[in-house]
Amino acid sequence: MTDFHVHLLVLVCLNVVIVSGLALVSRTGQLSLGHGAFVGIAAYAAVLANMKAGWPFWLSALGGIACAALVAFVLGWVILRLRGVYFVLVTFAFAELVRLALLDWATLTGGANGIAGIPPVTLFGFAFDTKLRFLVLALAFAAASVFFLKRLATTPTGHACDAVAENPALAEASGLNVHSIQLQAFVIGCAIAGLGGVLLAHYVGFVSPESFNTALSINVIVMLVIGGRQSVWGPLIGAAILTPLPELLRGAVQTQHIFYGAALILILHFLPGGLASLAGRLFKGEEQRA
């Protein structure tokens, strides 16, 4: 396995973590177009705490994730009463606001030049300073995020999330606190995205406001929709298929966007449950033929 293949696997694992965060938000019936902003908030907060304040990685990472969760709590408390396109538009506007703030606050964030020379992850004196070492770490966090979603789906909280997504009015009438459930999912989902951002910053060694622009949020949504919004395997399938594409199609940048658009339209039309539902459909077809 070459360094390039290891690099792609690392990116797939990091995207699995980030998309898993959005999958949790989506499980309550909301779809955020500002997910990339929380990846960026956590990444910048952790990098600044690590490089400027001298905090160890684990403490700066927790600080970055806490910042993303706190911002998500404040924002979610206000906007989670919105539904559909209104919620999407507000999250989009928030993401742009965060990007512009990072650009303008140049004395702290480096502005458009970003922050370079970010040290690799170091835990208990062990540095994950090679691609292969980092892959082990990224695999562990990706597996943990998928395991978390899988466990959540079987708990009463997971069933409550499904009920809220299916019919918020009926869920409220049944005694569920819809706003509280959506807020909890939004905060935890953004914290998981923040974890992905912290790992990404220390893996790449560089952050800039454009690293967390709207394109990132859109790519995360496309991965989730193509993988499967309602499946715990959706983030894994979507990230595994779409992450390598920009690298494989690097010679034809315009083709990437055409492929993304065509794939999204086809999946929404023929497989609204995403590729994760394909196995179930095939199995059902076999049963009917039998």
Side-chain angles (χ1 to χ4, degrees), residues 95-121:
E96 280 299 292
L97 183 65
V98 170
R99 187 180 67 83
L100 293 175
L102 292 174
L103 277 172
D104 288 343
W105 205 354
T107 53
L108 186 65
T109 64
N113 294 324
I115 301 174
I118 300 170
V121 173

Side-chain angles (χ1 to χ4, degrees), residues 69-246:
L70 179 62
V71 174
F73 177 81
V74 175
L75 181 70
W77 183 266
V78 177
I79 70 170
L80 276 169
R81 297 186 190 281
L82 300 174
R83 294 287 180 268
V85 68
Y86 301 105
F87 180 82
V88 174
L89 287 176
V90 172
T91 54
F92 170 75
F94 171 75
E96 280 299 292
L97 183 65
V98 170
R99 187 180 67 83
L100 293 175
L102 292 174
L103 277 172
D104 288 343
W105 205 354
T107 53
L108 186 65
T109 64
N113 294 324
I115 301 174
I118 300 170
V121 173
T122 302
L123 287 172
F124 309 111
F126 183 83
F128 295 85
D129 53 359
T130 66
K131 287 184 172 60
L132 202 54
R133 288 181 178 182
F134 198 93
L135 175 60
V136 175
L137 184 70
L139 274 172
F141 280 109
S145 63
V146 173
F147 178 74
F148 171 72
L149 289 180
K150 188 168 176 55
R151 288 287 299 169
L152 180 69
T154 60
T155 63
T157 303
H159 297 320
C161 290
D162 293 337
V164 169
E166 186 70 25
N167 191 329
L170 182 60
E172 190 84 46
S174 303
L176 294 175
N177 189 329
V178 172
H179 185 257
S180 175
I181 292 171
Q182 288 186 326
L183 183 60
Q184 291 175 46
F186 189 66
V187 171
I188 297 173
C190 291
I192 294 174
L195 169 63
V198 172
L199 294 172
L200 182 65
H202 283 272
Y203 172 66
V204 176
F206 173 76
V207 291
S208 81
E210 296 308 322
S211 305
F212 311 106
N213 58 17
T214 306
L216 172 62
S217 298
I218 293 175
N219 287 341
V220 172
I221 290 176
V222 173
M223 288 181 195
L224 179 61
V225 172
I226 289 181
R229 287 180 61 182
Q230 301 303 321
S231 170
V232 296
W233 305 109
L236 176 62
I237 295 172
I241 291 176
L242 292 181
T243 301
L245 281 183

